[in-house]
Amino acid sequence: MWSTDREALRQVFYAAWRHFREHAPLNGVETLIVEALLAHPEYQGLFADASSSPATAAQTASDVNPFLHLGLHIAVAEQIATDRPPGVVSQWRRLEGLWPDGHRARHAMMECLEETLWEAQRQGVAPDDTAYLERLRATPKGRSQK
C-alpha cells in the first residue's frame, strides 16, 4: 500500500470498512485494515462515513492519528507475513510469548517501528533495519506496557 496521495490512501481505509460492513469481498490490504479496525472499536465510527472530514478522523480523543496507528498495524502484519526485515518473525514470536494478547505484542513492535521511522525521517535516510531489530530485542525493557 504505497502512494504519495494521502487522501487516496485514506479512502482505502474508508472503502475497506464499508466493504466489510456490506459483507462485500475484501482484497488483501482491505483484510489487513479490517483486522486492525476490529481490534480497535474506538476507531470504527470514524470510518463509517467516507464523506466525513478526514481531519476529524485524523485526530481522536486520545490524540492518536488512526490512519498512522492502523498503518503501523498493517506494516507490522506485513513484516510478520514476510519475515522482513529478516529476523522480525523470531522477535514477534518472543514478544507474543511475553503477552498472551497478540495485539499487545503487535503494539510493542509498532512502538519500535514508529521510533525507527521517526529517526530515519529526522535524519533524511532510509529506515535502519538493524536499529529496528535491536529495538525489538530490547523490548519490553524501557517500553510502555500498553
Side-chain angles (χ1 to χ4, degrees):
M1 191 166 103
W2 170 254
S3 173
T4 57
D5 183 346
R6 180 172 70 172
E7 204 48 47
L9 280 173
R10 288 180 172 186
Q11 289 306 313
V12 173
F13 286 82
Y14 288 107
W17 192 240
R18 184 183 72 249
H19 291 159
F20 172 75
R21 288 188 347 266
E22 294 172 353
H23 305 287
L26 302 174
N27 68 34
V29 74
E30 288 180 336
T31 301
L32 294 174
I33 291 168
V34 167
E35 286 173 359
L37 274 166
L38 289 173
H40 285 284
E42 70 273 22
Y43 297 154
Q44 293 171 9
L46 298 172
F47 293 94
D49 181 8
S51 67
S52 67
S53 166
T56 302
Q59 286 302 112
T60 63
S62 65
D63 276 341
V64 173
N65 180 325
F67 295 103
L68 173 61
H69 188 83
L70 297 170
L72 288 168
H73 267 285
I74 293 164
V76 165
E78 289 177 341
Q79 289 177 340
I80 293 167
T82 61
D83 194 26
R84 187 162 183 208
V88 79
V89 168
S90 65
Q91 291 305 311
W92 159 248
R93 288 184 183 132
R94 183 184 67 79
L95 292 169
E96 194 177 34
L98 293 175
W99 298 287
D101 175 9
H103 188 80
R104 175 58 193 111
R106 283 188 291 280
H107 272 231
M109 291 181 70
M110 289 164 52
E111 289 177 30
C112 295
L113 179 58
E114 187 172 25
E115 188 175 343
T116 302
L117 293 172
W118 178 84
E119 185 176 83
Q121 182 179 21
R122 195 179 65 138
Q123 295 175 2
V125 298
D128 183 341
D129 290 347
T130 303
Y132 174 52
L133 290 169
E134 285 301 318
R135 286 183 176 103
L136 289 173
R137 284 185 196 99
T139 301
K141 299 176 211 156
R143 300 264 177 225
S144 65
Q145 302 294 313
K146 290 182 186 174

